[in-house]
Amino acid sequence: MRAKILVSACLMGHAVRYDGQAKPLAHPALDRWREEGRLVTICPEMSAGMPVPRLPAEIAAGKAGRDVLSGAARVLESQGGDVTDGFLLAAENALALARQTGCAYALLIDGSPSCGSGFIYDGSFTGRRLKGEGVTAALLRQNGIQVFSDRQVDELVAAAGA
Ligand code: SF4
């Protein structure tokens, strides 16, 4: 049986983002994988009990997901609340589900402090981007799961098989 693919819930049309919106992604491969039962959907932040909507959060001080995992960085809300523990739990939940269901790949929306895999924001809440990963993407990669962003579906098709 071919490996499954963990997918960000907001990409699958679930309105779970901090702003109460979804960011649905349309691609024929996604339709096929869904029909074949290869997709495993999770919103890591909701799995950790975060509400919808919620305040935007960013990894502080220009750090990245791996720094949060090592205890060297925090995740802060726009009004200063420390939500680091929730983001760590979110990442652990995503990894646990990936392992339980046999996911070798993940397709995650870019830019999120959890799901970002190519870029994140720099912690200033000014829209400045940094190259780097969110907390969930970093933990998945540290555990051997290949993570692709929503702009890399064709690369994922090549890796995971259409
Ligand atoms: S944690 Fe991931 S799946 Fe959930 S809303 Fe944020 S980007 Fe989407």
Side-chain angles (χ1 to χ4, degrees), residues 1-6 38 40 95-105 145:
M1 199 176 77
R2 288 190 294 181
K4 294 193 175 180
I5 302 159
L6 194 75
R38 288 185 73 190
V40 176
L95 177 60
L97 182 64
R99 283 181 165 154
Q100 282 160 18
T101 55
C103 291
Y105 307 96
I145 293 169

PDB file of all heavy atoms in Angstrom, residues 1-6 38 40 95-105 145:
ATOM      1  N   MET A   1       0.845  -1.205   0.000  1.00  0.00           N
ATOM      2  CA  MET A   1       0.000   0.000   0.000  1.00  0.00           C
ATOM      3  C   MET A   1       0.876   1.250   0.000  1.00  0.00           C
ATOM      4  O   MET A   1       1.891   1.282   0.682  1.00  0.00           O
ATOM      5  CB  MET A   1      -0.893   0.000   1.246  1.00  0.00           C
ATOM      6  CG  MET A   1      -2.079   0.908   1.104  1.00  0.00           C
ATOM      7  SD  MET A   1      -3.180   0.800   2.533  1.00  0.00           S
ATOM      8  CE  MET A   1      -2.300   1.763   3.728  1.00  0.00           C
ATOM      9  N   ARG A   2       0.492   2.237  -0.781  1.00  0.00           N
ATOM     10  CA  ARG A   2       1.320   3.428  -0.877  1.00  0.00           C
ATOM     11  C   ARG A   2       1.151   4.315   0.356  1.00  0.00           C
ATOM     12  O   ARG A   2       0.087   4.360   0.969  1.00  0.00           O
ATOM     13  CB  ARG A   2       0.982   4.184  -2.150  1.00  0.00           C
ATOM     14  CG  ARG A   2       1.518   3.429  -3.370  1.00  0.00           C
ATOM     15  CD  ARG A   2       1.433   4.235  -4.621  1.00  0.00           C
ATOM     16  NE  ARG A   2       0.054   4.477  -4.989  1.00  0.00           N
ATOM     17  CZ  ARG A   2      -0.299   5.156  -6.058  1.00  0.00           C
ATOM     18  NH1 ARG A   2       0.616   5.643  -6.856  1.00  0.00           N
ATOM     19  NH2 ARG A   2      -1.562   5.352  -6.347  1.00  0.00           N
ATOM     20  N   ALA A   3       2.236   4.996   0.697  1.00  0.00           N
ATOM     21  CA  ALA A   3       2.255   5.799   1.921  1.00  0.00           C
ATOM     22  C   ALA A   3       1.197   6.891   1.879  1.00  0.00           C
ATOM     23  O   ALA A   3       0.876   7.436   0.822  1.00  0.00           O
ATOM     24  CB  ALA A   3       3.634   6.414   2.103  1.00  0.00           C
ATOM     25  N   LYS A   4       0.704   7.213   3.036  1.00  0.00           N
ATOM     26  CA  LYS A   4      -0.306   8.268   3.145  1.00  0.00           C
ATOM     27  C   LYS A   4       0.359   9.642   3.261  1.00  0.00           C
ATOM     28  O   LYS A   4       1.569   9.761   3.456  1.00  0.00           O
ATOM     29  CB  LYS A   4      -1.213   7.989   4.329  1.00  0.00           C
ATOM     30  CG  LYS A   4      -2.041   6.720   4.104  1.00  0.00           C
ATOM     31  CD  LYS A   4      -3.147   6.585   5.093  1.00  0.00           C
ATOM     32  CE  LYS A   4      -3.988   5.362   4.727  1.00  0.00           C
ATOM     33  NZ  LYS A   4      -5.080   5.135   5.630  1.00  0.00           N
ATOM     34  N   ILE A   5      -0.488  10.652   3.150  1.00  0.00           N
ATOM     35  CA  ILE A   5      -0.017  12.040   3.119  1.00  0.00           C
ATOM     36  C   ILE A   5      -0.800  12.845   4.157  1.00  0.00           C
ATOM     37  O   ILE A   5      -2.040  12.916   4.087  1.00  0.00           O
ATOM     38  CB  ILE A   5      -0.238  12.627   1.705  1.00  0.00           C
ATOM     39  CG1 ILE A   5       0.510  11.783   0.659  1.00  0.00           C
ATOM     40  CG2 ILE A   5       0.200  14.097   1.668  1.00  0.00           C
ATOM     41  CD1 ILE A   5      -0.018  11.947  -0.748  1.00  0.00           C
ATOM     42  N   LEU A   6      -0.097  13.396   5.113  1.00  0.00           N
ATOM     43  CA  LEU A   6      -0.720  14.272   6.115  1.00  0.00           C
ATOM     44  C   LEU A   6      -0.975  15.634   5.461  1.00  0.00           C
ATOM     45  O   LEU A   6      -0.083  16.170   4.789  1.00  0.00           O
ATOM     46  CB  LEU A   6       0.232  14.419   7.301  1.00  0.00           C
ATOM     47  CG  LEU A   6      -0.332  15.012   8.585  1.00  0.00           C
ATOM     48  CD1 LEU A   6      -1.210  13.972   9.295  1.00  0.00           C
ATOM     49  CD2 LEU A   6       0.810  15.441   9.515  1.00  0.00           C
ATOM     50  N   ARG A  38      -5.837   8.242   0.709  1.00  0.00           N
ATOM     51  CA  ARG A  38      -4.423   8.441   1.080  1.00  0.00           C
ATOM     52  C   ARG A  38      -4.202   9.702   1.893  1.00  0.00           C
ATOM     53  O   ARG A  38      -3.087   9.943   2.344  1.00  0.00           O
ATOM     54  CB  ARG A  38      -3.548   8.511  -0.185  1.00  0.00           C
ATOM     55  CG  ARG A  38      -3.365   7.182  -0.885  1.00  0.00           C
ATOM     56  CD  ARG A  38      -2.400   7.303  -2.050  1.00  0.00           C
ATOM     57  NE  ARG A  38      -1.019   7.459  -1.607  1.00  0.00           N
ATOM     58  CZ  ARG A  38      -0.015   7.770  -2.432  1.00  0.00           C
ATOM     59  NH1 ARG A  38      -0.242   7.958  -3.706  1.00  0.00           N
ATOM     60  NH2 ARG A  38       1.210   7.898  -1.964  1.00  0.00           N
ATOM     61  N   VAL A  40      -4.648  12.240   5.105  1.00  0.00           N
ATOM     62  CA  VAL A  40      -4.951  12.280   6.540  1.00  0.00           C
ATOM     63  C   VAL A  40      -4.944  13.760   6.932  1.00  0.00           C
ATOM     64  O   VAL A  40      -3.908  14.416   6.888  1.00  0.00           O
ATOM     65  CB  VAL A  40      -3.889  11.507   7.350  1.00  0.00           C
ATOM     66  CG1 VAL A  40      -4.174  11.635   8.842  1.00  0.00           C
ATOM     67  CG2 VAL A  40      -3.856  10.047   6.924  1.00  0.00           C
ATOM     68  N   LEU A  95       2.652  14.744  14.571  1.00  0.00           N
ATOM     69  CA  LEU A  95       3.598  13.635  14.399  1.00  0.00           C
ATOM     70  C   LEU A  95       2.967  12.312  14.835  1.00  0.00           C
ATOM     71  O   LEU A  95       3.114  11.288  14.148  1.00  0.00           O
ATOM     72  CB  LEU A  95       4.876  13.903  15.210  1.00  0.00           C
ATOM     73  CG  LEU A  95       5.918  12.786  15.161  1.00  0.00           C
ATOM     74  CD1 LEU A  95       6.398  12.526  13.738  1.00  0.00           C
ATOM     75  CD2 LEU A  95       7.105  13.120  16.075  1.00  0.00           C
ATOM     76  N   ALA A  96       2.243  12.325  15.941  1.00  0.00           N
ATOM     77  CA  ALA A  96       1.608  11.090  16.423  1.00  0.00           C
ATOM     78  C   ALA A  96       0.604  10.567  15.396  1.00  0.00           C
ATOM     79  O   ALA A  96       0.568   9.368  15.093  1.00  0.00           O
ATOM     80  CB  ALA A  96       0.921  11.339  17.765  1.00  0.00           C
ATOM     81  N   LEU A  97      -0.194  11.473  14.831  1.00  0.00           N
ATOM     82  CA  LEU A  97      -1.181  11.035  13.829  1.00  0.00           C
ATOM     83  C   LEU A  97      -0.479  10.504  12.582  1.00  0.00           C
ATOM     84  O   LEU A  97      -0.897   9.478  12.010  1.00  0.00           O
ATOM     85  CB  LEU A  97      -2.108  12.199  13.473  1.00  0.00           C
ATOM     86  CG  LEU A  97      -3.211  11.861  12.468  1.00  0.00           C
ATOM     87  CD1 LEU A  97      -4.184  10.826  13.045  1.00  0.00           C
ATOM     88  CD2 LEU A  97      -3.974  13.122  12.046  1.00  0.00           C
ATOM     89  N   ALA A  98       0.579  11.181  12.164  1.00  0.00           N
ATOM     90  CA  ALA A  98       1.321  10.722  10.985  1.00  0.00           C
ATOM     91  C   ALA A  98       1.851   9.306  11.216  1.00  0.00           C
ATOM     92  O   ALA A  98       1.772   8.448  10.325  1.00  0.00           O
ATOM     93  CB  ALA A  98       2.469  11.686  10.681  1.00  0.00           C
ATOM     94  N   ARG A  99       2.367   9.063  12.395  1.00  0.00           N
ATOM     95  CA  ARG A  99       2.910   7.732  12.685  1.00  0.00           C
ATOM     96  C   ARG A  99       1.803   6.681  12.746  1.00  0.00           C
ATOM     97  O   ARG A  99       1.935   5.584  12.204  1.00  0.00           O
ATOM     98  CB  ARG A  99       3.664   7.766  14.016  1.00  0.00           C
ATOM     99  CG  ARG A  99       5.024   8.411  13.871  1.00  0.00           C
ATOM    100  CD  ARG A  99       5.744   8.411  15.195  1.00  0.00           C
ATOM    101  NE  ARG A  99       7.155   8.695  15.048  1.00  0.00           N
ATOM    102  CZ  ARG A  99       7.904   9.230  16.005  1.00  0.00           C
ATOM    103  NH1 ARG A  99       7.376   9.531  17.168  1.00  0.00           N
ATOM    104  NH2 ARG A  99       9.175   9.450  15.800  1.00  0.00           N
ATOM    105  N   GLN A 100       0.697   7.031  13.430  1.00  0.00           N
ATOM    106  CA  GLN A 100      -0.411   6.064  13.577  1.00  0.00           C
ATOM    107  C   GLN A 100      -0.979   5.648  12.232  1.00  0.00           C
ATOM    108  O   GLN A 100      -1.441   4.527  12.064  1.00  0.00           O
ATOM    109  CB  GLN A 100      -1.559   6.695  14.375  1.00  0.00           C
ATOM    110  CG  GLN A 100      -1.352   6.755  15.870  1.00  0.00           C
ATOM    111  CD  GLN A 100      -2.271   7.798  16.501  1.00  0.00           C
ATOM    112  OE1 GLN A 100      -3.256   8.230  15.902  1.00  0.00           O
ATOM    113  NE2 GLN A 100      -1.944   8.217  17.715  1.00  0.00           N
ATOM    114  N   THR A 101      -0.993   6.576  11.291  1.00  0.00           N
ATOM    115  CA  THR A 101      -1.682   6.328  10.023  1.00  0.00           C
ATOM    116  C   THR A 101      -0.729   5.997   8.880  1.00  0.00           C
ATOM    117  O   THR A 101      -1.177   5.775   7.759  1.00  0.00           O
ATOM    118  CB  THR A 101      -2.528   7.561   9.633  1.00  0.00           C
ATOM    119  OG1 THR A 101      -1.678   8.711   9.620  1.00  0.00           O
ATOM    120  CG2 THR A 101      -3.656   7.779  10.622  1.00  0.00           C
ATOM    121  N   GLY A 102       0.560   5.968   9.140  1.00  0.00           N
ATOM    122  CA  GLY A 102       1.514   5.593   8.103  1.00  0.00           C
ATOM    123  C   GLY A 102       1.775   6.670   7.067  1.00  0.00           C
ATOM    124  O   GLY A 102       1.924   6.372   5.881  1.00  0.00           O
ATOM    125  N   CYS A 103       1.843   7.923   7.503  1.00  0.00           N
ATOM    126  CA  CYS A 103       2.158   9.013   6.574  1.00  0.00           C
ATOM    127  C   CYS A 103       3.679   9.140   6.425  1.00  0.00           C
ATOM    128  O   CYS A 103       4.381   9.340   7.410  1.00  0.00           O
ATOM    129  CB  CYS A 103       1.623  10.344   7.082  1.00  0.00           C
ATOM    130  SG  CYS A 103      -0.171  10.489   7.072  1.00  0.00           S
ATOM    131  N   ALA A 104       4.154   9.053   5.196  1.00  0.00           N
ATOM    132  CA  ALA A 104       5.571   9.305   4.922  1.00  0.00           C
ATOM    133  C   ALA A 104       5.775  10.711   4.387  1.00  0.00           C
ATOM    134  O   ALA A 104       6.910  11.177   4.276  1.00  0.00           O
ATOM    135  CB  ALA A 104       6.106   8.287   3.927  1.00  0.00           C
ATOM    136  N   TYR A 105       4.665  11.373   4.023  1.00  0.00           N
ATOM    137  CA  TYR A 105       4.718  12.696   3.405  1.00  0.00           C
ATOM    138  C   TYR A 105       3.737  13.619   4.124  1.00  0.00           C
ATOM    139  O   TYR A 105       2.758  13.159   4.727  1.00  0.00           O
ATOM    140  CB  TYR A 105       4.318  12.625   1.925  1.00  0.00           C
ATOM    141  CG  TYR A 105       5.105  11.602   1.149  1.00  0.00           C
ATOM    142  CD1 TYR A 105       4.592  10.317   0.941  1.00  0.00           C
ATOM    143  CD2 TYR A 105       6.358  11.909   0.637  1.00  0.00           C
ATOM    144  CE1 TYR A 105       5.326   9.367   0.251  1.00  0.00           C
ATOM    145  CE2 TYR A 105       7.100  10.962  -0.057  1.00  0.00           C
ATOM    146  CZ  TYR A 105       6.575   9.694  -0.255  1.00  0.00           C
ATOM    147  OH  TYR A 105       7.304   8.755  -0.932  1.00  0.00           O
ATOM    148  N   ILE A 145       9.713  12.581   8.016  1.00  0.00           N
ATOM    149  CA  ILE A 145       8.564  12.773   7.124  1.00  0.00           C
ATOM    150  C   ILE A 145       8.913  13.874   6.121  1.00  0.00           C
ATOM    151  O   ILE A 145       9.395  14.942   6.512  1.00  0.00           O
ATOM    152  CB  ILE A 145       7.306  13.097   7.937  1.00  0.00           C
ATOM    153  CG1 ILE A 145       6.936  11.845   8.747  1.00  0.00           C
ATOM    154  CG2 ILE A 145       6.144  13.529   7.031  1.00  0.00           C
ATOM    155  CD1 ILE A 145       5.899  12.049   9.792  1.00  0.00           C
TER     156      ILE A 145
END
